[in-house]
Amino acid sequence: MKLRKATAASAVLLALSVTATACGGDKKDEGGSSGGGKKITIGIKFDQPGLGQKTPQGYTGFDVDVATYVAKKLGYGADQIEWKESKSADRETMLKRGDVDFIAATYSITPERQKLVDFAGPYLLAHQDVLVRADDDSIKSPSDLNKKKLCSVTGSTSAQNVKEKLAPKAQLQQYPTYSACLTGLQNKAIDALTTDDSILAGYASQAQFKGKFKLGGLKMTNENYGIGVKKGSDLKSKINKALEDMVSDGSWDAAVKKNFGPAGYKNEPAPKIGEIKS
């Protein structure tokens, strides 16, 4: 009888152990702790060379390097990161649903977005600029874009902003992708391509375009890139500390040079945490 009771007790303990493992043992860290869980899920762009790009060899770009550094400071190795594509229109929804722990994807901090999500950073100050052919010295100010063929991708507001506010006689050309704009620029079908200077530098840094284009340096807007987190997440303060460390130990400068250097990108100094330039 004693043997049967002991066996029954052992079975109960075993069942409780299995249940606990099934419920929590393999659960990833939800972003509320300091890290060290099974994995962390990070949203990036998959199609922006120099910033966030999925390649056969893995993921590359400045945003990827920043996110990897931050993840390490949170306690996660590179093999514990799960990358998820975060298209511009999906970012707030992905954070609200908990699809990702944080997003580093050319995510400009704006008052409208701050109502929906929280931002760590900024970690890069970009500007709307133009990309022109390397031998073209005719565009030195926004007004020089008047009567020029100005390209941006379909649905983008960048070219429209230039036409409405800075160069009303610019001839807008809408192409389906930035790569198509670059081909048009190379073939002289267009005169300039406009979007954030960091994005332009990333595309121009590709091997097939090296030395063919240059940035105009017009600085038409300020774009404060931040790392998006779910509203109220305590990850914000931890990511801010990681970003400060990245700047102080030289990793930030190294990442800028590595990803944007071939385009001659004259980047702004690393911004101070919480300093949003309008």
Side-chain angles (χ1 to χ4, degrees):
M1 182 63 110
K2 289 182 179 178
L3 179 60
R4 291 180 60 188
K5 284 183 178 179
T7 303
S10 298
V12 170
L13 288 172
L14 179 60
L16 289 173
S17 174
V18 170
T19 301
T21 300
C23 290
D26 290 329
K27 186 176 177 65
K28 82 179 179 93
D29 181 65
E30 294 294 340
S33 75
S34 60
K38 288 292 182 183
K39 66 177 180 178
I40 187 167
T41 306
I42 303 173
I44 57 169
K45 293 289 181 68
F46 277 14
D47 59 353
Q48 286 186 340
L51 286 152
Q53 186 178 27
K54 183 179 181 180
T55 73
Q57 292 74 40
Y59 299 90
T60 66
F62 182 71
D63 284 347
V64 174
D65 289 346
V66 170
T68 301
Y69 185 98
V70 168
K72 183 178 180 182
K73 287 291 184 176
L74 294 176
Y76 298 91
D79 60 343
Q80 293 176 295
I81 298 173
E82 178 185 350
W83 301 105
K84 276 198 176 182
E85 183 175 19
S86 298
K87 295 180 179 179
S88 295
D90 300 333
R91 291 177 296 202
E92 288 80 24
T93 301
M94 292 179 74
L95 287 169
K96 283 183 178 180
R97 284 195 313 230
D99 296 341
V100 292
D101 292 297
F102 67 81
I103 290 177
T106 60
Y107 204 179
S108 295
I109 302 171
T110 67
E112 294 75 23
R113 289 171 178 164
Q114 287 177 306
K115 295 174 184 176
L116 304 173
V117 301
D118 285 340
F119 285 97
Y123 64 92
L124 183 72
L125 176 61
H127 307 281
Q128 185 180 343
D129 199 357
V130 294
L131 193 71
V132 298
R133 288 180 292 278
D135 60 355
D136 185 356
D137 295 322
S138 66
I139 300 174
K140 298 186 185 324
S141 70
S143 62
D144 291 332
L145 293 168
N146 282 307
K147 297 185 180 180
K148 298 284 189 179
K149 293 178 181 176
L150 180 64
C151 183
S152 196
V153 296
T154 304
S156 169
T157 59
S158 299
Q160 194 65 41
N161 286 341
V162 172
K163 184 172 176 62
E164 289 177 357
K165 301 175 183 178
L166 301 169
K169 295 182 180 179
Q171 300 173 31
L172 295 187
Q173 308 285 321
Q174 293 194 47
Y175 282 41
T177 64
Y178 289 117
S179 295
C181 282
L182 283 168
T183 300
L185 186 59
Q186 187 174 355
N187 297 336
K188 299 187 177 182
I190 61 170
D191 300 306
L193 161 61
T194 185
T195 188
D196 295 358
D197 54 7
S198 58
I199 296 174
L200 295 173
Y203 276 98
S205 294
Q206 295 177 96
Q208 66 268 36
F209 296 130
K210 190 173 181 180
K212 294 180 179 179
F213 307 117
K214 65 182 179 181
L215 289 159
L218 303 188
K219 297 185 178 181
M220 293 181 279
T221 64
N222 290 328
E223 305 295 337
N224 303 272
Y225 290 174
I227 292 180
V229 298
K230 190 174 183 177
K231 200 76 175 169
S233 172
D234 66 352
L235 269 183
K236 176 179 175 179
S237 60
K238 296 169 185 174
I239 293 173
N240 279 335
K241 177 61 169 64
L243 293 174
E244 289 175 341
D245 290 346
M246 188 176 187
V247 173
S248 64
D249 70 15
S251 298
W252 188 90
D253 283 323
V256 169
K257 184 176 180 180
K258 167 188 166 187
N259 292 291
F260 303 129
Y265 178 50
K266 295 178 176 61
N267 63 283
E268 297 278 5
K272 293 182 179 179
I273 298 300
E275 186 176 282
I276 312 299
K277 293 193 176 181
S278 58

